[in-house]
Amino acid sequence: MRLSKIFSSFLITSVALSLPTELAATTEITTRADSSLVGYLGVFFLGNAPDIYFYLSNGNNALSFKALNKGNAILNPSLGTGGVRDPSIIAGAGAEAGKKWYIIGTDLNIAKTTWDASQRKGSLKIYIWESTDMINWGTERLVQVENNNAGMVWAPDAIWDPAKGQYLVHWASRFYSASDSSHTGSSGANQIRYAYTSDFKTFSAPQTLINASPTAIIDLSILQLGANSFARFIKNESATNVYMERSDTGLFGTWTRPGGGTTFIHSGVEGPYAYADNVTPGKVVLLLDYYGSDGYRPFTSTNLNANAWRDADRSGFPKNLRHGSVIGITKDKYDALNARWGA
Ligand SMILES: *[C@@H]1O[C@H](CO)[C@@H](O)[C@H](O)[C@H]1NC(C)=O
């Protein structure tokens, strides 16, 4: 695996050197630094507790965070399994821009079940918290998003689809045959499913977004790079690595993998999450969860036409953060979060 990765990197380099004009047409990343954003809020789970923890950046540094609330949990679900994983914070968009934030997460308390059972008869619902100020999140609701022949709904995340004017919510599921209502037989490979919502209360009927069968895939994360350009990060559950694909023709356009079909970023990782740097135009931070080790480690890139991710400075990055999310925040939110939970 290590050899094939080095080989792929070599291929990317050769392509970049031999096809400068073709790359120039698509290399430009229009992810813009945003001067209204003065910091970042990170929302994670820690693997040892079924709750959600907030982290605030130290100034406008995308790689340096401090725990809020003295490191204690901020959101504790009571519905469903009573345990949340893979929390994702979603900034409101469209009419909700600057007015609404959502945190969604997997309904799975692994202490009360097993990995096998949680994928056969796991929860088909997602946790949803919402806020108008990033401080008051109320209590969660649980909404079923998947059909009853699904084994589970894992790692829900969402992106505003500018073409549709709604939030595209996605997650990973596997499916059992209609005759196997207790889900004791074999299933199809884990795939990525989606639905649309305008309010995170009602969702359209679920459909398949990405099916890489026979490869099992989970943990999709999508980053918008420009008007029609997106990068998406996916865990290959069969190989336990994370790979990136890119589309310059929208969310339902043509996705290609920079570096070619077998290129991946790192192995032994999951829960990828990418976010734009507030300060440096075109710079992207990618978090990869070393789930067998010390959790999230940050990587950076300024060229999402290649799988050329650099190890980032980890000196200010807390250890043992697990699959979560980070968004850029304005000064009023930064100050409010710090005032409420920063002491
Ligand atoms: C996942 O990894 C396996 C094993 O390395 C590989 O055969 C397969 O092509 C990969 N699938 C994807 C979608 O990258």
Side-chain angles (χ1 to χ4, degrees), residues 1 4 212-217 234-241 243 245 257 261-264:
M1 248 179 252
S4 74
S213 181
T215 300
I217 53 172
I234 301 168
K235 181 189 182 192
N236 179 335
E237 182 83 317
S238 308
T240 62
N241 63 42
Y243 63 95
E245 295 178 328
R257 200 184 304 202
T262 58
T263 306
F264 61 90

Side-chain angles (χ1 to χ4, degrees), residues 198-275:
S198 295
D199 54 11
F200 289 85
K201 288 178 180 149
T202 59
F203 295 79
S204 63
Q207 290 181 267
T208 296
L209 187 61
I210 314 170
N211 187 346
S213 181
T215 300
I217 53 172
I218 62 170
D219 291 353
L220 170 67
S221 161
I222 305 175
L223 177 69
Q224 184 162 14
L225 304 174
N228 270 321
S229 294
F230 297 86
R232 68 185 186 190
F233 302 83
I234 301 168
K235 181 189 182 192
N236 179 335
E237 182 83 317
S238 308
T240 62
N241 63 42
V242 164
Y243 63 95
M244 178 184 80
E245 295 178 328
R246 176 180 175 130
S247 165
D248 292 295
T249 48
L251 286 168
F252 291 87
T254 304
W255 292 88
T256 53
R257 200 184 304 202
T262 58
T263 306
F264 61 90
I265 300 171
H266 281 295
S267 60
V269 294
E270 65 182 17
Y273 189 87
Y275 52 102

